Amino acid sequence: MAVNNEKLHKMKALVEKLREASRAYYAQDKEIMSNYEYDKLYDELQALEQETGMVLTGSPTVSVGYEAVDELPKEAHESPMLSLDKTKEREALRDWLEDKEGLLSWKLDGLTIVLTYQNGELTKAVTRGNGEVGEVITNNAKVFKNIPLRIRYQGELILRGEAVITYQDFEEINSHIEDADAKYKNPRNLCSGSVRQLNNQITAERNVRFYAFSLVKADGIGFENSREKQFDFLQEQGFDVVQYQRVDAGNIVDAVADYETRIQTYDVPSDGLVLIYDDIEYGRSLGRTAKFPRDSIAFKWADEIRETTLKEIEWSASRTGLINPVAIFEPVELEGTTVSRASVHNISILKGLKLGIGDRITVYKANMIIPQIAENLTCSDSLEIPDTCPVCGGKTELRAVNEVQSLYCTNPDCDAKKIKSFTLFVSRDAMNIDGLSEATLEKFIGKGFLHQYQDLFHLDRYRSEIVEMEGFGERSYKKLTDGIEKARDVELPKLIYSLGIANIGLANAKVICKYYKYDIDAMRHATVEELGEIDGIGEVIAKAFVDYFTDEKNNIVFDNLLKEVHIIREEIDEASQTLDGKTFVVTGSLNHFGTRNELKDLIEKKGGKVAGSVSAKTVCLINNDAASNSSKNKKAKELNVPILTEEQFMKEYLEMEP
């Protein structure tokens, strides 16, 4: 009995740990454990379930995906979207296929989407969500790079596929982000955030692509009982179909080897392969388990693991004070390249690995690309976390955010913070000053030219020294000073963003500036409660903003900066502010505006505010489906808030004829 209790306790711990990792990965787009560790724990839990004959509520072996977030409308799928059973053994694929033929395709690493077309028009797009309920992202899907908005087939067509961002587009997007801390971590996270945006202009800018991998419904079309014929049909309608090969037991192993070679240069993120029977009726006859369909199986790359020795931990400081640990180890060959370093991400992961210099560790490439530590074979746990910053020597401290521990430098004058802060300050979305790379800023800071932001506007004091510096001359100096003078004219949101306030991006800065009608003094004396009233500004952002302007040193820096710049502000016609003081909520699809954001911008230009949820302050809820049982409709009815169609709102509040 004691053994069973011990196993039950272990199963509960594994379920909670895996669910926490899934919530972080799918709902919050962050990674708290590696794929390798997740798979290992998942397999351990599955083995315990088979051994004990028990499956706990909430086990990831019977529940899949993430919970749909509140900001997007939710919708139940007509049939559950199951995950796939998986193997890492090539021979297991051959045994599974037996004497049948199948289609072997990439298992793409993005976000699964269900598309519905009626009368040849794209009418609905829904994310996988938790497999039962997804998020409606129709407007966003309409701006994917390669989705046909109209097709020849006029019946109801339902298909599934993967939304992805290629490595090339991922690198291009990151290349325009000056601040290293703000760069996106991987294409999958960037894609997830892009697909689930409330503003589809952002989605359009991210170059999201869609690859079909399954036809769900197309009445009246004969496919000769063949999945491949379904793929042919989808291609004829204008869809990009996931790349596949027709296989049988005789060539399946060679086909897997071919994919393994091609993934090294394949531009679309993939974390394995999918094998499905070509014979549709045979596959359907096999039925399904509680979690898996029996007509298909996933192949996960068997990670190439190498043993090596940990030589040191390199501590890399950033502008926020965050100090990231990077493992340096004896070079090893992995997936055809030599690797000698891997990010350890944070202190929680570092402690979990029980690292020590000289430990024997195993390393691999996640998805055959990103170097990671798999296991620590020695587990000496002798590594000392530095109590001083590697850059400035200032005191460090451990801080826990969402139960994840990280190391920070507490010295506000740390050179690493200065370099990264100035890099953000001059970046394109901030002050937009050309000719000041991070390397140049590092030289200027090292020579004592720059202490506060205002010093950038007085580099003429060091003209003779700058023109003599390597890589500089009269022409470069003039280009630099011209760029600095041009930057003196700046919009207030860009100036606020340039300050590097934690969690305040350009979009948040714009929202705050509009709320306070560009009144700098009012913004500086904002309270957390006031900022919390602004749609999209949560408690964390509000507190960061208030804390910044509560600090006397920050106010001095800002005052000195204001003396150097001229704030450009769009003139507002007071007569046009017909919605001043009124708060609206917009939900559902629109007929007269391309996106909700277009309507939101128009309301804000007229002085109104668009909130994310219905409250007693809401003037009306704009929803073309007044009869729906959505949470916003229910709340509006409870509070006696009018529900108006788009046309009714346009006539009553915008004085526009639809």
Side-chain angles (χ1 to χ4, degrees):
M1 195 66 165
V3 174
N4 287 335
N5 285 338
E6 183 179 335
K7 289 178 180 177
L8 179 60
H9 179 75
K10 179 65 174 177
M11 289 167 65
K12 287 180 177 179
L14 287 169
V15 166
E16 183 54 39
K17 194 166 186 177
L18 289 167
R19 289 184 66 187
E20 181 185 354
S22 291
R23 280 195 298 269
Y25 186 74
Y26 288 108
Q28 301 165 6
D29 296 330
K30 67 179 184 180
E31 191 170 333
I32 62 174
M33 71 170 63
S34 68
N35 289 338
Y36 181 90
E37 184 180 0
Y38 185 93
D39 286 346
K40 182 180 176 183
L41 296 178
Y42 183 100
D43 291 344
E44 184 180 355
L45 174 62
Q46 196 169 47
L48 283 169
E49 288 175 345
Q50 291 172 352
E51 182 182 344
T52 61
M54 299 171 60
V55 178
L56 301 176
T57 301
S59 170
T61 65
V62 293
S63 60
V64 296
Y66 62 85
E67 293 298 323
V69 297
D70 294 330
E71 287 81 356
L72 291 167
K74 299 176 184 178
E75 181 169 303
H77 297 297
E78 289 187 14
S79 59
M81 296 185 66
L82 306 176
S83 61
L84 297 180
D85 200 359
K86 65 181 187 293
T87 181
K88 292 188 176 183
E89 302 298 327
R90 302 177 192 198
E91 289 72 18
L93 293 180
R94 183 174 56 199
D95 295 342
W96 182 88
L97 199 56
E98 294 183 326
D99 61 344
K100 301 294 182 181
E101 290 189 323
L103 304 181
L104 185 67
S105 64
W106 294 112
K107 184 176 181 293
L108 301 182
D109 191 17
L111 203 65
T112 300
I113 308 291
V114 185
L115 301 182
T116 300
Y117 287 76
Q118 292 176 327
N119 300 317
E121 301 275 348
L122 173 62
T123 58
K124 187 165 56 181
V126 185
T127 68
R128 176 185 178 182
N130 64 3
E132 299 286 343
V133 178
E135 301 156 324
V136 180
I137 48 96
T138 310
N139 283 335
N140 292 350
K142 288 179 178 178
V143 297
F144 287 0
K145 295 296 289 184
N146 62 338
I147 280 186
L149 299 181
R150 290 188 180 91
I151 59 175
R152 290 197 303 273
Y153 177 69
Q154 295 297 299
E156 183 178 41
L157 172 66
I158 302 175
L159 69 151
R160 295 172 180 172
E162 199 82 354
V164 297
I165 290 178
T166 66
Y167 286 112
Q168 182 177 346
D169 286 330
F170 172 73
E171 295 297 339
E172 173 67 17
I173 291 167
N174 261 349
S175 71
H176 294 295
I177 301 174
E178 299 282 350
D179 182 10
D181 292 342
K183 289 182 184 290
Y184 298 102
K185 300 297 183 287
N186 57 61
R188 191 264 165 207
N189 284 8
L190 174 58
C191 182
S192 176
S194 301
V195 168
R196 297 155 70 197
Q197 285 287 330
L198 295 179
N199 178 0
N200 74 346
Q201 180 180 352
I202 298 174
T203 307
E205 293 169 352
R206 302 281 176 79
N207 287 346
V208 179
R209 300 169 194 275
F210 176 87
Y211 293 94
F213 60 66
S214 175
L215 191 154
V216 179
K217 181 180 181 182
D219 292 338
I221 303 293
F223 298 112
E224 302 173 30
N225 194 37
S226 168
R227 293 279 182 191
E228 188 169 22
K229 295 294 184 184
Q230 290 183 337
F231 277 179
D232 291 342
F233 169 76
L234 290 174
Q235 287 178 311
E236 290 168 3
Q237 302 304 313
F239 295 97
D240 285 336
V241 172
V242 63
Q243 290 184 14
Y244 69 91
Q245 293 185 40
R246 192 177 185 92
V247 294
D248 55 30
N251 66 4
I252 179 74
V253 173
D254 289 339
V256 172
D258 177 53
Y259 276 105
E260 192 169 24
T261 300
R262 286 194 285 144
I263 196 174
Q264 304 296 333
T265 55
Y266 191 48
D267 198 32
V268 182
S270 167
D271 58 357
L273 303 172
V274 173
L275 177 61
I276 188 168
Y277 292 115
D278 182 56
D279 187 326
I280 298 172
E281 291 305 320
Y282 176 74
R284 286 176 180 164
S285 73
L286 299 175
R288 46 171 275 194
T289 68
K291 184 179 179 184
F292 306 124
R294 290 196 174 101
D295 66 348
S296 50
I297 187 171
F299 173 80
K300 298 273 285 186
W301 303 116
D303 301 306
E304 184 179 347
I305 297 177
R306 292 285 182 269
E307 188 176 328
T308 184
T309 301
L310 182 66
K311 294 170 60 179
E312 64 174 301
I313 294 290
E314 179 182 284
W315 299 92
S316 176
S318 68
R319 72 171 181 85
T320 61
L322 178 66
I323 303 174
N324 290 311
V326 179
I328 311 298
F329 44 81
E330 293 287 349
V332 290
E333 288 288 321
L334 277 178
E335 313 293 355
T337 62
T338 302
V339 295
S340 60
R341 53 194 294 126
S343 172
V344 190
H345 303 294
N346 54 55
I347 301 301
S348 293
I349 290 178
L350 182 136
K351 287 182 175 179
L353 287 168
K354 297 183 179 179
L355 292 174
I357 304 304
D359 282 1
R360 295 295 290 172
I361 60 174
T362 59
V363 294
Y364 72 109
K365 281 187 178 179
N367 291 346
M368 303 179 75
I369 294 167
I370 304 168
Q372 301 280 315
I373 296 178
E375 290 183 279
N376 183 0
L377 305 177
T378 308
C379 289
S380 68
D381 203 14
S382 59
L383 189 71
E384 292 187 9
I385 297 170
D387 54 12
T388 58
C389 172
V391 176
C392 70
K395 185 180 178 182
T396 63
E397 70 177 17
L398 286 172
R399 300 175 194 166
V401 179
N402 295 328
E403 299 181 2
V404 175
Q405 278 194 328
S406 297
L407 187 67
Y408 288 84
C409 171
T410 60
N411 176 17
D413 298 317
C414 176
D415 276 353
K417 292 183 182 180
K418 282 186 181 180
I419 294 165
K420 299 294 184 181
S421 294
F422 273 100
T423 301
L424 172 66
F425 184 81
V426 304
S427 65
R428 184 172 59 180
D429 286 341
M431 298 299 288
N432 193 21
I433 302 176
D434 286 333
L436 279 173
S437 66
E438 185 170 318
T440 299
L441 288 167
E442 186 174 0
K443 290 177 183 177
F444 286 0
I445 290 170
K447 288 180 175 292
F449 298 168
L450 301 175
H451 300 282
Q452 290 188 16
Y453 297 134
Q454 69 179 86
D455 297 333
L456 270 170
F457 298 95
H458 299 285
L459 285 174
D460 55 312
R461 299 169 181 167
Y462 310 102
R463 177 186 171 283
S464 59
E465 294 175 71
I466 292 173
V467 296
E468 294 296 326
M469 289 173 58
E470 184 179 350
F472 266 88
E474 289 290 351
R475 180 179 292 182
S476 296
Y477 174 78
K478 186 176 188 312
K479 181 181 177 183
L480 173 60
T481 53
D482 286 349
I484 290 171
E485 287 306 308
K486 184 180 178 181
R488 287 185 186 272
D489 294 323
V490 64
E491 297 169 0
L492 185 58
K494 290 193 170 188
L495 185 67
I496 296 298
Y497 170 62
S498 75
L499 299 174
I501 304 171
N503 303 304
I504 303 294
L506 181 57
N508 292 330
K510 286 180 178 178
V511 169
I512 293 171
C513 288
K514 282 185 180 179
Y515 182 80
Y516 285 101
K517 302 185 186 302
Y518 296 84
D519 184 332
I520 292 175
D521 191 58
M523 291 166 60
R524 293 170 80 166
H525 293 91
T527 65
V528 172
E529 290 73 22
E530 284 177 359
L531 290 165
E533 292 293 314
I534 304 175
D535 185 36
I537 305 297
E539 184 180 348
V540 173
I541 294 174
K543 187 175 186 307
F545 191 88
V546 170
D547 286 350
Y548 183 89
F549 284 110
T550 302
D551 190 300
E552 185 179 351
K553 289 182 180 178
N554 291 336
N555 280 289
I556 293 172
V557 168
F558 190 48
D559 282 332
N560 290 337
L561 183 56
L562 287 174
K563 294 173 185 176
E564 306 294 341
V565 301
H566 171 249
I567 306 296
I568 305 170
R569 183 183 169 187
E570 179 183 353
E571 291 300 321
I572 298 175
D573 180 7
E574 293 299 329
S576 70
Q577 302 297 286
T578 56
L579 302 182
D580 188 37
K582 294 181 172 66
T583 300
F584 304 89
V585 175
V586 183
T587 190
S589 59
L590 300 176
N591 300 320
H592 299 281
F593 295 86
T595 66
R596 288 188 219 165
N597 214 55
E598 281 184 27
L599 178 55
K600 179 181 177 183
D601 286 345
L602 182 56
I603 291 170
E604 289 176 346
K605 282 181 180 178
K606 290 181 174 292
K609 173 188 172 185
V610 177
S613 57
V614 177
S615 70
K617 296 180 181 179
T618 306
V619 173
C620 74
L621 169 64
I622 304 163
N623 186 357
N624 286 326
D625 186 3
S628 80
N629 290 317
S630 69
S631 59
K632 287 188 174 70
N633 275 19
K634 289 179 181 177
K635 190 68 174 179
K637 290 171 183 175
E638 287 175 11
L639 298 174
N640 293 318
V641 171
I643 303 174
L644 302 185
T645 65
E646 194 178 350
E647 289 82 0
Q648 290 171 328
F649 171 77
M650 290 168 71
K651 285 181 179 179
E652 186 172 341
Y653 288 97
L654 300 181
E655 299 180 356
M656 295 170 59
E657 284 298 324

